[in-house]
Amino acid sequence: MSAPARILVTKRVFPEAVEFLRREFEVDYNGTDRVLPSDELIQRARGCAAVVSQLTDRLSADVIAALDGVRIIANVAVGYDNIDVAAATARSIAVTNTPGVLTETTADFAFALLMAAARRVVEAHAFVHSGQWSTWIIDLLAGQDIHGATLGIFGLGRIGAAVARRGRGFGMRILYCDDQPAPPELERELEARRVSREELLRESDFVSLHVPLTPATRHLIGAAELAMMKPSAILVNTARGPVVDEAALAEALEKRTIWAAGLDVFEDEPRVHPKLLELPNVVLAPHIASASFSTRRRMSMMAAENAAAALAGRRPPNLVNPEVWR
Ligand code: DGY
């Protein structure tokens, strides 16, 4: 009998995923939250047929070129901008992600950021906590209404549509901007109207981003776009940090070009633009939109199942480069 295939799991995941893999494979498990430097990742991947990676692993073309014998990179995330997919494809390495399981959880959090920014929940908590509350004041911590407002969604995919559904529950009007029109039944369900980028920015009270990070979406929202938004508008980003020009956003928030923002993702995580750390009108979170126990557990399992399928010669269910699997 041949020796079991070897898998590198680059970072801590939910334990059932490692238990599952250990039933059939030899697993080199970095069961810590330390990101492996590229040279260590390459060295530990020697002799491995699969790598279970996370979005903090930078799998550039150079790193991929050094992954001899690796047949699949199974990312524990729906986004895979941390992986040079073209380089993987050129070496016939399958790349997989974890779509679907995190849709509702991520949409919940996007809406939580939207509401927290609009109704100043973080400022209110700090205010009470610090003992500043002395009496009822007519405009104390007054914010923006959510119900009946216009919600503009960039990218009406799975997560964008789930956020729009939450908006509909609050009686919001939905506008969206996407390269492709949504299916007519989805547009009908959400009463959503596809508009130009400019119309969305000018009309929306809330703008929520749900596009993948690609060369075309890098700095999709910059100074010019922020200048088109209403002074009362709120920007929510749970997609990827570089979709927004963070320096331009910090300036717009400081100058009140827009009213507030709710951010879960940043251009150079875990670094946050210093101005954003000082401003009262931004709610910040450390890339946790999909972080419910059950969703992160399912993401861990899904990546493990993708890796196991590929090593068993089965097409992995969540292949992002199908051309490698013929
Ligand atoms: C993803 O899956 O891409 C998120 O950013 C982390 O859940």
Side-chain angles (χ1 to χ4, degrees):
M1 234 174 72
S2 56
R6 200 174 153 81
I7 298 183
L8 171 64
V9 179
T10 62
K11 215 174 170 194
R12 196 165 60 84
V13 289
F14 274 77
E16 41 275 69
V18 178
E19 283 156 26
F20 167 81
L21 290 172
R22 282 198 169 129
R23 278 185 225 139
E24 282 194 54
F25 305 102
E26 196 184 315
V27 181
D28 176 5
Y29 180 38
N30 169 24
T32 76
D33 300 320
R34 180 178 70 93
V35 179
L36 300 181
S38 297
D39 50 352
E40 188 178 342
L41 189 151
I42 290 167
Q43 184 251 315
R44 285 177 71 160
R46 278 200 191 112
C48 289
V51 174
V52 174
S53 60
Q54 297 192 21
L55 52 82
T56 40
D57 298 315
R58 296 274 134 224
L59 293 161
S60 62
D62 286 350
V63 172
I64 287 172
L67 297 180
D68 279 337
V70 168
R71 304 207 295 274
I72 175 165
I73 299 170
N75 214 32
V76 188
V78 66
Y80 46 85
D81 48 281
N82 58 310
I83 303 171
D84 189 326
V85 177
T89 306
R91 299 182 70 86
S92 300
I93 300 175
V95 176
T96 60
N97 66 344
T98 61
V101 292
L102 48 74
T103 300
E104 300 300 330
T105 305
T106 303
D108 284 348
F109 196 76
F111 221 80
L113 284 178
L114 180 156
M115 296 188 74
R119 298 303 309 274
R120 305 175 66 178
V121 175
V122 175
E123 281 179 87
H125 175 87
F127 182 82
V128 175
H129 210 260
S130 63
Q132 292 177 72
W133 190 20
S134 57
T135 183
W136 191 88
I137 297 173
I138 192 72
D139 60 353
L140 178 64
L141 289 161
Q144 307 291 347
D145 272 330
I146 297 154
H147 66 274
T150 297
L151 172 59
I153 306 266
F154 271 101
L156 197 68
R158 280 179 295 256
I159 299 173
V163 171
R165 270 186 205 104
R166 283 154 180 77
R168 291 297 297 151
F170 280 74
M172 296 174 100
R173 178 169 79 108
I174 311 297
L175 302 178
Y176 77 99
C177 191
D178 202 306
D179 293 343
Q180 298 299 321
E185 57 280 13
L186 183 62
E187 282 194 348
R188 266 197 305 278
E189 177 205 332
L190 300 172
E191 293 185 47
R193 193 159 63 84
R194 183 168 175 241
V195 295
S196 67
R197 179 192 297 206
E198 183 169 343
E199 186 174 349
L200 185 140
L201 292 165
R202 291 198 190 285
E203 287 281 311
S204 298
D205 300 300
F206 296 88
V207 173
S208 195
L209 305 176
H210 301 288
V211 292
L213 176 62
T214 66
T217 62
R218 186 171 291 272
H219 286 191
L220 176 73
I221 304 293
E225 289 72 24
L226 291 159
M228 287 180 207
M229 291 171 68
K230 297 180 182 179
S232 55
I234 293 170
L235 178 72
V236 175
N237 189 7
T238 53
R240 282 292 182 265
V243 172
V244 176
D245 178 341
E246 210 165 286
L249 174 62
E251 195 174 324
L253 287 167
E254 190 179 42
K255 292 189 173 148
R256 294 280 178 166
T257 309
I258 69 167
W259 198 74
L263 306 175
D264 183 47
V265 287
F266 301 88
E267 279 202 80
D268 183 23
E269 294 173 10
R271 209 188 65 86
V272 175
H273 192 290
K275 212 183 263 179
L276 292 177
L277 296 171
E278 287 162 15
L279 292 170
N281 53 339
V282 55
V283 178
L284 306 168
H287 205 146
I288 56 167
S290 67
S292 71
F293 291 111
S294 92
T295 291
R296 287 282 169 89
R297 185 172 289 120
R298 289 171 78 194
M299 289 165 67
S300 302
M301 276 309 292
M302 211 166 164
E305 283 160 7
N306 278 315
L311 298 194
R314 282 181 281 113
R315 184 190 163 97
N318 309 108
L319 203 51
V320 303
N321 54 348
E323 55 276 43
V324 302
W325 210 271
R326 292 189 203 284

